[in-house]
Amino acid sequence: MEKESTENRKQARIAIMELANMISVPMSLTAVVRLNVADAIWQGGSNSPLTASQILTRVLPSGHQGDPENLQRILRMLTSYGVFAEHLIKTPDSDASERQYSLTEVGKALVTDSEGLSYASFVLQHHQDELMRAWPLVHETVVDPTLEPFVKVNGEPPYSYYGKRPEMNGLMVKAMSGVSVPFMKDFLDVYDGFDGVTTLVDVGGSAGDCLRMILKKHPHVKEGINFDLPEVVAKAPIIPGKNLLFLHLFY
Ligand SMILES: C[S@@+](CC[C@H](N)C(=O)[O-])C[C@H]1O[C@@H](n2cnc3c(N)ncnc32)[C@H](O)[C@@H]1O
């Protein structure tokens, strides 16, 4: 075995500490989403680097100063994971520099677009209390796989649980739209597999975004069927001029 004092061994110990503390990364991401930092920096496309104090003046109600030092700690953490770019700017009246932050391509995914969508809802959806409470039980799936952790802590499977809670159901639908709409835009630019299709079924189609976009791009598809759960299709908008069916499975 290698000697305890080798550089490799030291690096390995640091790696374990980093892994043990990994939760700080997604939780910091959730913090900036809750504070709406990405929209505050983006401001219609300017993406001008801002200090933590300047960001706070944009995200907090007037009269609330907040704690720029704590925000800066979160921003620095996420800078090391490529969400923000950090700029060291010399302050005019001293030799000191101040830290300013803009959005990287990764950070821009959190900016609300013209359709009110972004990846922010996906972040929030994944970090709701009900899901977070299930994570400490992952090891139990090895010992007894009959009940998934979510069911153990919440009493029923995720989708039926969401269905009874309009807020969770709405967040799930919004998270899916935020992820799928930009994906489908790129996908439809290159995919030609819908030629000859007249009826299309989207199984688990959520609010019907993918179906809506396909039907718009391919008018020869006359009928779309969004096959999803009752609470989900209830939130799906109608597509004018198209024969769109909303079906659901009772389980
Ligand atoms: C990960 S989401 C995918 C959403 C959508 N396809 C998209 O890409 O945006 C999975 C979808 O499956 C649906 N689903 C889950 N269980 C279902 C069931 N038993 N019958 C029909 N749909 C179901 C959920 O409501 C949800 O909309």
Side-chain angles (χ1 to χ4, degrees):
M1 186 161 168
E2 277 180 300
K3 279 197 173 152
E4 280 285 298
S5 59
T6 60
E7 188 56 30
N8 276 354
R9 202 91 184 122
K10 278 191 254 170
Q11 291 302 330
R13 289 193 185 114
I14 291 169
I16 283 291
M17 288 170 73
E18 271 188 34
L19 286 171
N21 195 35
M22 265 296 171
I23 193 167
S24 56
V25 181
M27 292 301 99
S28 296
L29 194 60
T30 292
V32 297
V33 168
R34 287 190 174 149
L35 291 166
N36 207 15
V37 170
D39 284 340
I41 297 176
W42 186 244
Q43 291 258 309
S46 74
N47 199 20
S48 309
L50 298 176
T51 63
S53 301
Q54 290 167 330
I55 293 169
L56 282 181
T57 61
R58 292 186 181 187
V59 300
L60 295 181
S62 65
H64 286 71
Q65 211 186 342
D67 188 329
E69 187 53 39
N70 276 346
L71 177 59
Q72 181 161 282
R73 290 162 74 117
I74 293 170
L75 294 168
R76 291 188 72 187
M77 146 78 76
L78 291 174
T79 295
S80 65
Y81 284 89
V83 180
F84 299 101
E86 189 180 74
H87 312 261
L88 283 177
I89 308 290
K90 279 235 173 302
T91 48
D93 350 309
S94 75
D95 282 345
S97 298
E98 65 178 13
R99 296 176 192 277
Q100 299 184 353
Y101 298 88
S102 60
L103 299 167
T104 61
E105 281 307 312
V106 177
K108 286 178 201 169
L110 300 174
V111 174
T112 312
D113 68 14
S114 55
E115 296 171 59
L117 299 174
S118 76
Y119 276 65
S121 302
F122 185 82
V123 174
L124 295 179
Q125 199 281 328
H126 275 68
H127 299 151
Q128 294 171 103
D129 291 346
E130 286 84 348
L131 281 88
M132 294 299 294
R133 280 200 291 271
W135 280 108
L137 301 188
V138 168
H139 69 289
E140 291 190 13
T141 63
V142 177
V143 183
D144 171 17
T146 53
L147 264 190
E148 59 184 289
F150 188 97
V151 177
K152 274 188 186 160
V153 293
N154 298 303
E156 60 185 319
Y159 286 114
S160 56
Y161 190 92
Y162 301 162
K164 293 181 183 118
R165 291 160 182 83
E167 211 168 288
M168 286 188 92
N169 189 42
L171 183 58
M172 179 68 196
V173 168
K174 197 169 177 196
M176 288 304 103
S177 299
V179 169
S180 297
V181 170
F183 170 80
M184 280 305 283
K185 279 181 187 155
D186 292 346
F187 174 77
L188 287 172
D189 282 345
V190 294
Y191 184 72
D192 59 6
F194 296 113
D195 292 353
V197 173
T198 51
T199 297
L200 188 64
V201 184
D202 191 349
V203 178
S206 192
D209 292 303
C210 298
L211 208 48
R212 174 177 50 80
M213 293 168 78
I214 297 166
L215 265 58
K216 189 169 177 213
K217 172 101 196 243
H218 298 282
H220 62 270
V221 183
K222 295 291 174 217
E223 187 178 57
I225 299 171
N226 185 14
F227 186 84
D228 208 297
L229 298 170
E231 311 79 19
V232 175
V233 294
K235 288 186 85 73
I238 302 295
I239 305 176
K242 289 285 173 186
N243 188 8
L244 191 65
L245 297 176
F246 294 109
L247 294 182
H248 55 72
L249 188 75
F250 288 100
Y251 59 98

